Amino acid sequence: MKLLFVHGWGYSKAFWKPLINYFEPQQFDLLDLGFFKNLKTTHKMLEDFGEHQHNYIVVGHSLGLMYVLNHFPSQFHRYIGINSFLCFVQKNDFKEGVPKRILEKMLYQITREPLKVLEEFYRRCGYKNFVLPSEEQLDVKQLRFGLQLLIGLDLRDKLKKIGGKLTVITSEGDPIVSKPMVVESFKDQKVQWLSDNTHLLPYTQPKKCADLIKEILRANG
């Protein structure tokens, strides 16, 4: 069994570096959502796995889990969501979500001041000592696409299919994904709450995350 790491909005596969240091290279693969140029996009890479998807445990951070579930809702052996959710924006039956206007504002600004939008987002996540890329490195079209997914996707109905194959690990004080939002997303699903005030558990608590993932690996052969 291997791990497949998928990062969230505004990051690249380099996001996982603190966490993957606790694993051997042959234990995992990394996918990239293509928010930075010259990186292969996730959808093509997911297709590359073909019939081998059942040999992988997906570890998705934030939007990363939703992206995989949206394309391949049940084919992978198991799913681990870190700082994750199944719906992001507020709806009539999901008052715990983020107001849609916040995402729409980001969508408007990302084409005009992409680095400013990223910087503000990183700070809100609790990301310290970050280094912003150059504007030329950004794929603004893909960043807009990611925001549109956050606005449009509601995958709460997928929980019935994957509930028995899902582990949720999240921060008690996540500034992006509130505790009520997590509880409402993953109804009746056991959640591993870690003492942390960021949206960045793989970055701030890599050893704890690695220990939990290794337990799941051992239990799944």
Tab-separated table of all heavy atoms in Angstrom, residues 5-7 11-13 30-49 67 139 142:
chain	number	residue	atom	x	y	z
A	5	PHE	N	-0.174	11.919	-1.835
A	5	PHE	CA	-0.373	13.210	-1.183
A	5	PHE	C	-0.876	14.247	-2.182
A	5	PHE	O	-0.287	14.435	-3.251
A	5	PHE	CB	0.937	13.697	-0.563
A	5	PHE	CG	1.397	12.889	0.620
A	5	PHE	CD1	2.375	11.910	0.475
A	5	PHE	CD2	0.859	13.112	1.878
A	5	PHE	CE1	2.807	11.169	1.566
A	5	PHE	CE2	1.282	12.378	2.974
A	5	PHE	CZ	2.252	11.402	2.820
A	6	VAL	N	-1.971	14.954	-1.821
A	6	VAL	CA	-2.561	15.976	-2.679
A	6	VAL	C	-2.769	17.252	-1.851
A	6	VAL	O	-3.530	17.244	-0.889
A	6	VAL	CB	-3.915	15.511	-3.268
A	6	VAL	CG1	-4.395	16.503	-4.315
A	6	VAL	CG2	-3.816	14.109	-3.846
A	7	HIS	N	-2.097	18.329	-2.234
A	7	HIS	CA	-2.129	19.573	-1.467
A	7	HIS	C	-3.407	20.368	-1.720
A	7	HIS	O	-4.233	20.011	-2.567
A	7	HIS	CB	-0.916	20.436	-1.827
A	7	HIS	CG	-0.938	20.878	-3.261
A	7	HIS	ND1	-1.617	22.008	-3.689
A	7	HIS	CD2	-0.393	20.334	-4.383
A	7	HIS	CE1	-1.484	22.138	-4.991
A	7	HIS	NE2	-0.751	21.132	-5.449
A	11	TYR	N	-1.102	26.163	-2.880
A	11	TYR	CA	0.176	25.521	-2.562
A	11	TYR	C	0.620	24.628	-3.722
A	11	TYR	O	-0.061	24.528	-4.750
A	11	TYR	CB	0.044	24.700	-1.272
A	11	TYR	CG	-0.217	25.562	-0.056
A	11	TYR	CD1	-1.517	25.762	0.413
A	11	TYR	CD2	0.827	26.194	0.614
A	11	TYR	CE1	-1.761	26.569	1.522
A	11	TYR	CE2	0.589	26.998	1.724
A	11	TYR	CZ	-0.708	27.185	2.172
A	11	TYR	OH	-0.950	27.991	3.264
A	12	SER	N	1.745	23.983	-3.552
A	12	SER	CA	2.256	23.025	-4.526
A	12	SER	C	2.631	21.754	-3.781
A	12	SER	O	2.495	21.673	-2.554
A	12	SER	CB	3.483	23.589	-5.253
A	12	SER	OG	4.613	23.598	-4.375
A	13	LYS	N	3.147	20.775	-4.493
A	13	LYS	CA	3.540	19.530	-3.834
A	13	LYS	C	4.661	19.740	-2.821
A	13	LYS	O	4.849	18.915	-1.923
A	13	LYS	CB	3.941	18.482	-4.869
A	13	LYS	CG	5.105	18.874	-5.765
A	13	LYS	CD	5.303	17.828	-6.846
A	13	LYS	CE	6.424	18.208	-7.803
A	13	LYS	NZ	6.564	17.233	-8.910
A	30	LEU	N	3.489	12.078	-5.054
A	30	LEU	CA	2.983	13.432	-4.857
A	30	LEU	C	2.244	13.901	-6.107
A	30	LEU	O	2.758	13.753	-7.217
A	30	LEU	CB	4.132	14.400	-4.567
A	30	LEU	CG	4.958	14.129	-3.296
A	30	LEU	CD1	6.246	14.932	-3.337
A	30	LEU	CD2	4.154	14.490	-2.057
A	31	LEU	N	1.052	14.459	-5.915
A	31	LEU	CA	0.325	15.065	-7.013
A	31	LEU	C	0.334	16.572	-6.858
A	31	LEU	O	0.486	17.069	-5.740
A	31	LEU	CB	-1.126	14.578	-7.039
A	31	LEU	CG	-1.385	13.335	-7.900
A	31	LEU	CD1	-0.687	12.134	-7.299
A	31	LEU	CD2	-2.866	13.080	-8.032
A	32	ASP	N	0.187	17.275	-7.955
A	32	ASP	CA	0.194	18.732	-7.908
A	32	ASP	C	-1.026	19.280	-8.644
A	32	ASP	O	-1.342	18.830	-9.741
A	32	ASP	CB	1.486	19.269	-8.538
A	32	ASP	CG	1.770	20.680	-8.083
A	32	ASP	OD1	1.079	21.594	-8.579
A	32	ASP	OD2	2.641	20.874	-7.231
A	33	LEU	N	-1.692	20.256	-8.033
A	33	LEU	CA	-2.889	20.840	-8.621
A	33	LEU	C	-2.581	21.885	-9.693
A	33	LEU	O	-3.496	22.432	-10.297
A	33	LEU	CB	-3.764	21.468	-7.532
A	33	LEU	CG	-4.453	20.484	-6.589
A	33	LEU	CD1	-5.142	21.234	-5.463
A	33	LEU	CD2	-5.456	19.635	-7.331
A	34	GLY	N	-1.308	22.184	-9.897
A	34	GLY	CA	-0.926	23.055	-11.015
A	34	GLY	C	-1.101	24.533	-10.775
A	34	GLY	O	-1.251	25.303	-11.731
A	35	PHE	N	-1.080	24.982	-9.508
A	35	PHE	CA	-1.212	26.408	-9.234
A	35	PHE	C	0.060	27.178	-9.579
A	35	PHE	O	0.047	28.407	-9.629
A	35	PHE	CB	-1.588	26.632	-7.764
A	35	PHE	CG	-2.909	26.011	-7.390
A	35	PHE	CD1	-3.048	25.264	-6.230
A	35	PHE	CD2	-4.016	26.175	-8.211
A	35	PHE	CE1	-4.264	24.696	-5.886
A	35	PHE	CE2	-5.242	25.610	-7.880
A	35	PHE	CZ	-5.362	24.868	-6.716
A	36	PHE	N	1.145	26.443	-9.749
A	36	PHE	CA	2.401	27.042	-10.175
A	36	PHE	C	2.782	26.431	-11.521
A	36	PHE	O	2.578	25.237	-11.750
A	36	PHE	CB	3.490	26.803	-9.131
A	36	PHE	CG	3.152	27.426	-7.799
A	36	PHE	CD1	2.416	26.720	-6.861
A	36	PHE	CD2	3.551	28.714	-7.506
A	36	PHE	CE1	2.078	27.299	-5.639
A	36	PHE	CE2	3.223	29.295	-6.288
A	36	PHE	CZ	2.482	28.589	-5.351
A	37	LYS	N	3.325	27.225	-12.400
A	37	LYS	CA	3.583	26.784	-13.771
A	37	LYS	C	4.637	25.686	-13.835
A	37	LYS	O	5.424	25.491	-12.926
A	37	LYS	CB	4.004	27.983	-14.627
A	37	LYS	CG	2.871	28.983	-14.826
A	37	LYS	CD	3.319	30.196	-15.617
A	37	LYS	CE	2.161	31.170	-15.791
A	37	LYS	NZ	2.580	32.410	-16.474
A	38	ASN	N	4.628	24.971	-14.966
A	38	ASN	CA	5.585	23.898	-15.248
A	38	ASN	C	5.406	22.673	-14.360
A	38	ASN	O	6.326	21.879	-14.182
A	38	ASN	CB	7.037	24.396	-15.135
A	38	ASN	CG	7.298	25.556	-16.067
A	38	ASN	OD1	6.838	25.560	-17.205
A	38	ASN	ND2	8.022	26.550	-15.593
A	39	LEU	N	4.218	22.529	-13.770
A	39	LEU	CA	3.912	21.351	-12.968
A	39	LEU	C	2.735	20.622	-13.612
A	39	LEU	O	1.748	21.237	-14.008
A	39	LEU	CB	3.553	21.742	-11.532
A	39	LEU	CG	4.708	22.329	-10.724
A	39	LEU	CD1	4.203	22.918	-9.416
A	39	LEU	CD2	5.760	21.273	-10.429
A	40	LYS	N	2.866	19.309	-13.703
A	40	LYS	CA	1.818	18.495	-14.320
A	40	LYS	C	0.532	18.602	-13.506
A	40	LYS	O	0.571	18.617	-12.281
A	40	LYS	CB	2.291	17.047	-14.363
A	40	LYS	CG	1.545	16.179	-15.362
A	40	LYS	CD	2.193	14.806	-15.421
A	40	LYS	CE	1.518	13.919	-16.434
A	40	LYS	NZ	2.092	12.567	-16.440
A	41	THR	N	-0.607	18.663	-14.169
A	41	THR	CA	-1.853	18.850	-13.438
A	41	THR	C	-2.358	17.554	-12.821
A	41	THR	O	-2.110	16.469	-13.311
A	41	THR	CB	-2.952	19.419	-14.355
A	41	THR	OG1	-3.196	18.495	-15.409
A	41	THR	CG2	-2.545	20.753	-14.943
A	42	THR	N	-3.109	17.707	-11.755
A	42	THR	CA	-3.577	16.561	-10.985
A	42	THR	C	-4.464	15.626	-11.787
A	42	THR	O	-4.339	14.415	-11.703
A	42	THR	CB	-4.352	17.055	-9.749
A	42	THR	OG1	-3.448	17.746	-8.911
A	42	THR	CG2	-4.945	15.904	-8.977
A	43	HIS	N	-5.392	16.187	-12.572
A	43	HIS	CA	-6.362	15.316	-13.239
A	43	HIS	C	-5.671	14.308	-14.140
A	43	HIS	O	-5.992	13.121	-14.129
A	43	HIS	CB	-7.350	16.151	-14.044
A	43	HIS	CG	-8.483	15.345	-14.599
A	43	HIS	ND1	-9.343	14.649	-13.783
A	43	HIS	CD2	-8.896	15.104	-15.861
A	43	HIS	CE1	-10.239	14.024	-14.532
A	43	HIS	NE2	-9.985	14.282	-15.791
A	44	LYS	N	-4.696	14.748	-14.910
A	44	LYS	CA	-3.953	13.841	-15.784
A	44	LYS	C	-3.216	12.798	-14.951
A	44	LYS	O	-3.199	11.609	-15.276
A	44	LYS	CB	-2.968	14.642	-16.644
A	44	LYS	CG	-2.007	13.779	-17.458
A	44	LYS	CD	-2.745	12.891	-18.461
A	44	LYS	CE	-1.759	12.107	-19.306
A	44	LYS	NZ	-2.416	11.092	-20.132
A	45	MET	N	-2.611	13.232	-13.845
A	45	MET	CA	-1.849	12.298	-13.012
A	45	MET	C	-2.765	11.264	-12.367
A	45	MET	O	-2.422	10.102	-12.240
A	45	MET	CB	-1.047	13.052	-11.968
A	45	MET	CG	0.079	13.880	-12.563
A	45	MET	SD	1.072	14.722	-11.317
A	45	MET	CE	1.964	13.336	-10.623
A	46	LEU	N	-3.961	11.696	-11.962
A	46	LEU	CA	-4.897	10.744	-11.379
A	46	LEU	C	-5.271	9.675	-12.393
A	46	LEU	O	-5.370	8.497	-12.069
A	46	LEU	CB	-6.156	11.458	-10.886
A	46	LEU	CG	-6.040	12.222	-9.570
A	46	LEU	CD1	-7.317	12.989	-9.290
A	46	LEU	CD2	-5.735	11.287	-8.415
A	47	GLU	N	-5.475	10.096	-13.639
A	47	GLU	CA	-5.789	9.127	-14.681
A	47	GLU	C	-4.636	8.152	-14.893
A	47	GLU	O	-4.842	6.983	-15.234
A	47	GLU	CB	-6.091	9.864	-15.990
A	47	GLU	CG	-7.407	10.623	-15.968
A	47	GLU	CD	-7.614	11.445	-17.223
A	47	GLU	OE1	-6.631	11.690	-17.941
A	47	GLU	OE2	-8.764	11.843	-17.471
A	48	ASP	N	-3.412	8.617	-14.685
A	48	ASP	CA	-2.239	7.765	-14.873
A	48	ASP	C	-2.246	6.555	-13.933
A	48	ASP	O	-1.612	5.545	-14.229
A	48	ASP	CB	-0.951	8.563	-14.654
A	48	ASP	CG	-0.693	9.566	-15.776
A	48	ASP	OD1	-1.349	9.443	-16.836
A	48	ASP	OD2	0.139	10.465	-15.589
A	49	PHE	N	-2.940	6.697	-12.802
A	49	PHE	CA	-2.938	5.589	-11.849
A	49	PHE	C	-3.782	4.410	-12.325
A	49	PHE	O	-3.547	3.269	-11.947
A	49	PHE	CB	-3.424	6.065	-10.474
A	49	PHE	CG	-2.389	6.858	-9.737
A	49	PHE	CD1	-2.357	8.227	-9.836
A	49	PHE	CD2	-1.425	6.229	-8.979
A	49	PHE	CE1	-1.396	8.969	-9.185
A	49	PHE	CE2	-0.454	6.960	-8.318
A	49	PHE	CZ	-0.439	8.327	-8.423
A	67	TYR	N	-10.886	17.546	-4.296
A	67	TYR	CA	-10.546	17.400	-5.708
A	67	TYR	C	-10.533	15.924	-6.102
A	67	TYR	O	-11.097	15.537	-7.128
A	67	TYR	CB	-9.186	18.035	-5.989
A	67	TYR	CG	-8.916	18.227	-7.468
A	67	TYR	CD1	-9.063	19.469	-8.058
A	67	TYR	CD2	-8.544	17.160	-8.272
A	67	TYR	CE1	-8.833	19.652	-9.413
A	67	TYR	CE2	-8.321	17.322	-9.622
A	67	TYR	CZ	-8.458	18.573	-10.193
A	67	TYR	OH	-8.239	18.730	-11.531
A	139	ASP	N	0.100	30.201	-11.959
A	139	ASP	CA	-0.878	29.905	-13.006
A	139	ASP	C	-2.221	30.442	-12.511
A	139	ASP	O	-2.961	29.757	-11.801
A	139	ASP	CB	-0.957	28.399	-13.260
A	139	ASP	CG	-1.793	28.055	-14.485
A	139	ASP	OD1	-2.763	28.797	-14.762
A	139	ASP	OD2	-1.488	27.064	-15.160
A	142	GLN	N	-5.426	28.498	-13.199
A	142	GLN	CA	-5.637	27.334	-12.344
A	142	GLN	C	-6.032	27.748	-10.926
A	142	GLN	O	-6.843	27.081	-10.275
A	142	GLN	CB	-4.366	26.475	-12.319
A	142	GLN	CG	-4.548	25.085	-11.760
A	142	GLN	CD	-5.402	24.168	-12.626
A	142	GLN	OE1	-5.839	24.551	-13.716
A	142	GLN	NE2	-5.645	22.966	-12.159
